[in-house]
Amino acid sequence: MSNTILVGAQWGDEGKGKIIDYLTHHADVVVRTQGGNNAGHTIVHGSEKYVLSLIPSGILHRGKVCVLGNGVVIDPVALLGEIDALAGRGIACTPENLLISDRAHVVFPYHRVMDAFREDRKKGRIGTTKRGIGPAYGDKIARTGLRMIDLAKPARVRAAVLAANQLLKQLGAPAIKAAAVVADYEQAWKRLQPHVTDTVGHLHAAMKKKRRILFEGAQGTYLDIDHGTYPYVTSSSTTSGGACTGSGVPPNKIDSIYGVMKAYTTRVGEGPFPTENAELSDRLHDMGREFGAVTGRARRCGWLDAVATRAAVQVNGVDRLAITNLDGLDGQEVVRICVAYELDGQELQRVPADVEDLARCVPVYRDFPGWKTSTEEVRKFTDLPKAAQRYLKAVEKLCGAPLELISVGPGRHQTFHA
Ligand code: IMP
């Protein structure tokens, strides 16, 4: 493996944390390039479970350099919470193993207030994580945001809070105490400053030394601000192109692109989801699965949507697929794959742009016999039940990229090559 981008091929929560952890063995540098602490990557090491929101999971591996790239939005207080929680478990984040871009935008408490305020409206709810991600990216695009480097100048922080208070007043939301934010962020800056650097320069120096870079995607293709089910999306570029803009590593330095998908589909938050299925949701929830790592929300579940995943393969340039949670389908009599949509009597092979149209799409399914036996102990493709092998072969064909990795449980040892 040389420089590899890993993206989610569905609506997020595809089990990327686990695959990233697996691929990290073959990487020297692990980079986050978009999103913020709205993400939740769950990694199980032995009997230990870690949920990381901002810090790349490479931090759990000795000798890896972790980078928060320029495309990430950082809540410094949340980041310090994560650093301290890791320290409490014997994992140290140092200026050598955790680099933070000086150009990454900062999430402030007023972003969270604005996010929650918009979410609490009856109409137009997105179902966000309320971590302030949308408003922070909004400020970035409007050119009114502050970047990590600005935290060195408390006057800028104070001015930003005062300006935000004007907006909060218009919304009818309570004002934020500027002095408290300035003090908290000054404190945070003191601790984070040794990590803050020109990460683009570091990444190019690493490439010159032939270091292998893994770009760990957060969220998924259908939450992408351009390619997702807008407006029910997050506010960053979650597709592979975002890894380049969010890190300063150009496309011609990328060697391969992994798409991670579940053996079925899930989504959290609002928005259309053609293959959503209440029975499958109940079944997975009864198995104790499919609750959000960050918010604890029960995820909506449905059958694998090959129309959506095939388009995700195209948009990202996925050249290898990793499929997770195969074991989630273990008890099913029948497993289904959506191979087309039907809308107003027409068959569609692509995801329509209008979410109201997408919400009216009726999935056209192809049914496969279930395998009705546990796959959790399987470590080889050929040891999988024949029905599971047939299902995976169909997934590969319908989604349009070769299957490289299969995961049958949360543990590290439960991942194998296809
Ligand atoms: P935001 O990113 O908090 O603004 O939320 C926007 C949408 O993205 C909502 O539907 C969230 O549930 C979804 N979302 C954000 N982060 C994640 C994630 O890590 N996994 C799955 N969904 C996410």
Side-chain angles (χ1 to χ4, degrees):
M1 184 179 108
S2 31
N3 295 337
T4 299
I5 295 176
L6 179 143
V7 291
Q10 295 161 322
W11 273 273
D13 303 320
E14 296 93 349
K16 293 182 296 296
K18 195 194 158 182
I19 303 297
I20 291 161
D21 185 53
Y22 184 86
L23 295 177
T24 297
H25 289 285
H26 310 284
D28 303 299
V29 182
V30 188
V31 193
R32 259 295 288 278
T33 59
Q34 44 73 223
N37 62 329
N38 49 348
H41 289 163
T42 308
I43 303 108
V44 179
H45 274 196
S47 57
E48 296 279 311
K49 179 172 161 182
Y50 299 86
V51 179
L52 297 168
S53 286
L54 269 165
I55 301 177
S57 54
I59 205 73
L60 306 176
H61 299 245
R62 210 180 285 274
K64 311 287 176 186
V65 176
C66 293
V67 177
L68 292 177
N70 52 277
V72 177
V73 287
I74 298 175
D75 178 332
V77 178
L79 175 58
L80 284 170
E82 221 168 287
I83 290 174
D84 290 341
L86 284 170
R89 298 173 75 173
I91 296 158
C93 296
T94 67
E96 286 71 44
N97 71 2
L98 179 64
L99 311 182
I100 302 170
S101 169
D102 46 10
R103 290 160 172 86
H105 275 253
V106 178
V107 180
F108 285 97
Y110 51 80
H111 291 130
R112 284 198 302 275
V113 173
M114 287 171 188
D115 196 355
F117 195 84
R118 288 174 193 165
E119 278 300 297
D120 291 342
R121 296 174 305 196
K122 269 209 186 76
K123 267 185 99 175
R125 270 189 85 234
I126 303 294
T128 74
T129 60
K130 299 190 182 175
R131 299 289 197 272
I133 305 301
Y137 275 115
D139 271 350
K140 172 178 175 173
I141 298 301
R143 298 163 294 187
T144 50
L146 292 190
R147 302 182 299 170
M148 286 304 288
I149 196 67
D150 293 310
L151 296 184
K153 310 224 165 104
R156 292 187 184 172
V157 174
R158 192 179 147 73
V161 181
L162 295 179
N165 276 341
Q166 297 295 323
L167 283 176
L168 290 176
K169 198 170 166 189
Q170 284 165 23
L171 289 174
I176 300 276
K177 286 199 173 63
V181 178
V182 171
D184 287 350
Y185 279 58
E186 230 178 329
Q187 268 307 103
W189 173 248
K190 273 200 189 112
R191 288 189 57 198
L192 292 175
Q193 196 230 336
H195 301 265
V196 175
T197 184
D198 169 15
T199 50
V200 178
H202 277 274
L203 289 170
H204 281 265
M207 286 190 288
K208 214 164 183 183
K209 288 190 214 151
K210 302 271 183 257
R211 300 279 189 268
R212 300 155 302 174
I213 304 176
L214 174 62
F215 299 84
E216 67 161 66
Q219 291 89 38
T221 300
Y222 289 97
L223 294 173
D224 184 277
I225 188 74
D226 285 275
H227 301 289
T229 46
Y230 191 91
Y232 299 101
V233 293
T234 189
S235 299
S236 62
S237 298
T238 63
T239 43
S240 57
C244 293
T245 50
S247 65
V249 174
N252 62 354
K253 298 283 184 206
I254 305 300
D255 301 296
S256 71
I257 302 172
Y258 262 95
V260 185
M261 59 188 286
K262 272 183 178 144
Y264 45 94
T265 311
T266 63
R267 95 170 282 179
V268 283
E270 308 296 320
F273 179 5
T275 63
E276 185 166 19
N277 183 282
E279 226 172 278
L280 185 60
S281 283
D282 288 347
R283 199 184 149 81
L284 290 161
H285 295 147
D286 287 348
M287 288 161 88
R289 311 169 75 108
E290 303 308 342
F291 293 93
V294 170
T295 59
R297 291 182 288 180
R299 296 178 185 136
R300 300 157 64 193
C301 307
W303 298 109
L304 183 62
D305 183 340
V307 177
T309 315
R310 190 164 54 234
V313 164
Q314 289 176 349
V315 145
N316 290 293
V318 166
D319 52 22
R320 51 197 78 194
L321 285 166
I323 194 161
T324 68
N325 291 270
L326 182 67
D327 53 312
L329 295 178
D330 278 354
Q332 293 291 333
E333 285 282 338
V334 172
V335 282
R336 315 191 86 181
I337 301 181
C338 166
V339 294
Y341 300 147
E342 218 175 79
L343 180 66
D344 299 330
Q346 288 210 317
E347 193 169 288
L348 303 185
Q349 287 293 338
R350 297 198 43 90
V351 180
D354 188 324
V355 283
E356 286 180 8
D357 288 342
L358 183 59
R360 290 192 304 113
C361 280
V362 178
V364 177
Y365 286 113
R366 190 178 298 170
D367 288 350
F368 297 81
W371 39 97
K372 294 183 287 174
T373 174
S374 172
T375 57
E376 284 173 24
E377 303 301 326
V378 176
R379 301 292 174 264
K380 221 165 66 200
F381 185 83
T382 46
D383 287 346
L384 282 168
K386 284 280 174 285
Q389 293 185 25
R390 272 197 293 277
Y391 180 69
L392 292 173
K393 286 282 172 209
V395 169
E396 195 170 42
K397 202 159 166 211
L398 290 164
C399 296
L403 196 55
E404 175 132 333
L405 292 173
I406 298 165
S407 158
V408 290
R412 257 187 179 176
H413 57 289
Q414 289 172 298
T415 302
F416 53 89
H417 278 261

